[in-house]
Amino acid sequence: MATGVVGSLGLLWGWLWSERFWLPQNVSWADLEGQGDDYPRARHLLSVYPLAAGIFSVRLLFERFIAKPCALRLGIENSRRSDVKPNAILEKVFLSITKNPDKKRLEGLSKQLDWDVRKIQCWFRHRRNQDKPPTLTKFCESMWRFTFYLCMFCYGIIFLWLSPWFWDTRQCWHSYPYQPLSRGLFYYYIMELAFYWSLMFSQFIDIKRKDFLIMFVHHLATIGLITFSYINNMVRVGTLVLCLHDFSDCWLEAAKLANYAKYQRLCDTLFVIFSAVFMITRLGLFPFWILNTTLFESWEIIGPYPSWWFFNGLLLVLQVLHIIWSYLIAQIALKALIRGKVSKDDRSDVESSSEEEDEAKNTKDLSGSNSGSGANCVNGHLGDGYWAEE
């Protein structure tokens, strides 16, 4: 019995590390081992997990001792909205049936409670907002991501500026896979992978967003790409992908910070800049620069093999996500240009100051007696806004 289990594990291990899958023709693991320790090794990736835990710890310290004081100086208070007036019937509907009742259900509740429909709408709106985290928490999260993306982009662009494959992508494949791994490239790659692992785990405790599932897929694809490209030494083209993504992410987080601090004009400007950068990098440079070299130049120089197809498949999944997000971003950027301010972004959880002010004005109506006209539940320019964290 034990022998059979060991044999099965051996077959599985051999299948996972099959040279015919991972490496080009006429290349074996022994060939790479013979090159010494200056080449990527799968065991190097074990250092990622303690590093990811370390990055998460640094994040907690950063948010507490740097981001939070900055937020307080900008006037962002650590305050939550006042609790909605308890109502057993509405609470049961909210928890068990729907958080956004339709017109028919609102009318039924209005008759049952003898409340104005508008008042019930405001109760549900206030109840939804009650579960949302304070702006201070969101500001600290965004400031951490902004700082990391900016630092990694600066490091990446300085490193790549001196790298030959930055100027000629065909250099990504010359002499492949016998391409030495420099210390600077190793640190860049491992740090990025550890950061995305920390994001993967912290996603379950951070602010929940509408695009939780798509971001989960994004993190899986990113981690898979970084891990996979490191093991089979596609790190040169991998550095181009990482740097490209960090550049646009900086602008998004900067726009969020301006929004939380209620600098609306700065927020709108940064968001439009982010939109332009995102379109240029994700719909322009990524397919015509990155995919061009991974699909066509690599085919010409080293030829396709099983892991080559898998690697490009992950890149294409990433490109599909880029297209989805680009569509959402374009909608918001167009409204920002037409109306002069950001209107609504379906990608992430960013609330406007006007929503908070509106809720404060409605508190009296929510907890008081029935009002003939009902409370005003119309949000401002970012009401129910949702921005993505890429």
Side-chain angles (χ1 to χ4, degrees):
M1 179 72 173
T3 304
V5 172
V6 172
S8 299
L9 290 176
L11 290 174
L12 178 62
W13 185 258
W15 177 79
L16 286 175
W17 295 104
S18 171
E19 295 170 345
R20 289 188 299 173
F21 172 79
W22 285 95
L23 302 173
Q25 292 182 357
N26 303 321
V27 179
S28 66
W29 293 119
D31 295 333
L32 294 181
E33 289 290 342
Q35 300 297 317
D37 292 331
D38 293 332
Y39 289 80
R41 299 286 182 264
R43 61 178 177 270
H44 295 168
L45 298 177
L46 295 176
S47 62
V48 165
Y49 304 107
L51 184 57
I55 288 176
F56 184 74
S57 300
V58 170
R59 169 193 167 175
L60 296 179
L61 295 173
F62 177 90
E63 290 183 357
R64 180 172 181 178
F65 295 107
I66 298 179
K68 185 176 180 179
C70 289
L72 295 176
R73 287 181 65 87
L74 290 170
I76 301 174
E77 299 180 357
N78 187 18
S79 59
R80 288 184 175 273
R81 299 173 177 82
S82 58
D83 291 342
V84 68
K85 182 180 178 180
N87 184 288
I89 296 175
L90 297 182
E91 186 71 16
K92 182 178 180 180
V93 172
F94 182 87
L95 295 175
S96 306
I97 303 176
T98 178
K99 297 180 179 181
N100 295 277
D102 56 21
K103 182 179 179 181
K104 183 177 180 180
R105 190 174 297 278
L106 285 171
E107 292 174 349
L109 290 171
S110 177
K111 293 178 180 179
Q112 185 177 358
L113 296 172
D114 194 25
W115 281 20
D116 185 83
V117 170
R118 282 298 188 97
K119 185 177 178 181
I120 297 175
Q121 286 178 320
C122 285
W123 189 97
F124 275 94
R125 185 174 201 82
H126 199 180
R127 182 63 181 83
R128 290 193 299 269
N129 289 334
Q130 181 178 304
D131 291 339
K132 292 181 180 179
T135 303
L136 178 63
T137 301
K138 295 184 288 187
F139 181 93
C140 292
E141 282 190 16
S142 286
M143 188 170 179
W144 161 249
R145 287 192 294 266
F146 168 78
T147 303
F148 184 89
Y149 289 138
L150 181 61
C151 291
M152 291 308 298
F153 172 73
C154 291
Y155 178 88
I157 199 67
I158 292 172
F159 172 78
L160 287 171
W161 196 266
L162 303 175
S163 303
W165 61 87
F166 183 70
W167 307 101
D168 178 15
T169 53
R170 296 177 68 86
Q171 293 291 330
C172 293
W173 313 108
H174 288 162
S175 303
Y176 176 84
Y178 305 108
Q179 298 172 339
L181 178 70
S182 68
R183 189 171 296 273
L185 198 159
F186 170 78
Y187 289 145
Y188 183 34
Y189 232 68
I190 294 299
M191 185 63 73
E192 289 275 12
L193 180 57
F195 175 70
Y196 278 103
W197 268 116
S198 72
L199 283 185
M200 170 68 80
F201 294 126
S202 64
Q203 188 180 14
F204 295 94
I205 61 174
D206 286 343
I207 299 167
K208 294 297 185 292
R209 292 178 165 83
K210 279 186 174 181
D211 62 347
F212 176 88
L213 181 59
I214 196 171
M215 285 306 300
F216 184 78
V217 173
H218 173 269
H219 292 333
L220 279 179
T222 303
I223 289 172
L225 274 168
I226 298 174
T227 302
F228 182 85
S229 59
Y230 185 85
I231 291 175
N232 67 354
N233 204 13
M234 290 184 176
V235 291
R236 291 187 176 184
V237 71
T239 58
L240 302 179
V241 176
L242 292 171
C243 191
L244 205 65
H245 281 70
D246 288 341
F247 182 47
S248 60
D249 290 338
C250 293
W251 293 101
L252 175 60
E253 298 302 332
K256 288 183 182 182
L257 292 175
N259 180 67
Y260 297 141
K262 301 180 182 178
Y263 294 128
Q264 192 57 49
R265 182 171 297 180
L266 177 60
C267 168
D268 296 341
T269 301
L270 290 172
F271 185 79
V272 171
I273 294 174
F274 159 72
S275 302
V277 170
F278 191 94
M279 301 298 177
I280 292 170
T281 56
R282 308 296 178 91
L283 299 185
L285 292 177
F286 189 84
F288 295 107
W289 188 41
I290 302 297
L291 291 181
N292 176 65
T293 190
T294 61
L295 286 171
F296 303 110
E297 291 179 348
S298 64
W299 182 297
E300 178 185 342
I301 296 173
I302 63 175
Y305 53 99
S307 66
W308 179 94
W309 290 102
F310 183 72
F311 178 69
N312 280 286
L314 289 176
L315 289 176
L316 290 172
V317 168
L318 207 55
Q319 182 59 27
V320 171
L321 296 178
H322 293 165
I323 294 172
I324 295 173
W325 282 321
S326 295
Y327 171 74
L328 297 174
I329 291 170
Q331 289 182 314
I332 311 311
L334 183 60
K335 292 178 182 178
L337 292 173
I338 294 175
R339 302 181 185 180
K341 48 190 170 182
V342 177
S343 174
K344 179 179 178 182
D345 186 338
D346 290 324
R347 299 183 54 208
S348 173
D349 198 27
V350 176
E351 303 161 46
S352 68
S353 59
S354 58
E355 180 178 278
E356 295 172 357
E357 294 164 0
D358 180 70
E359 290 299 335
K361 288 187 290 185
N362 288 333
T363 301
K364 183 176 179 180
D365 290 322
L366 288 167
S367 58
S369 60
N370 187 16
S371 170
S373 59
N376 175 21
C377 290
V378 179
N379 273 339
H381 56 275
L382 277 177
D384 257 2
Y386 286 92
W387 285 22
E389 184 255 322
E390 240 273 332

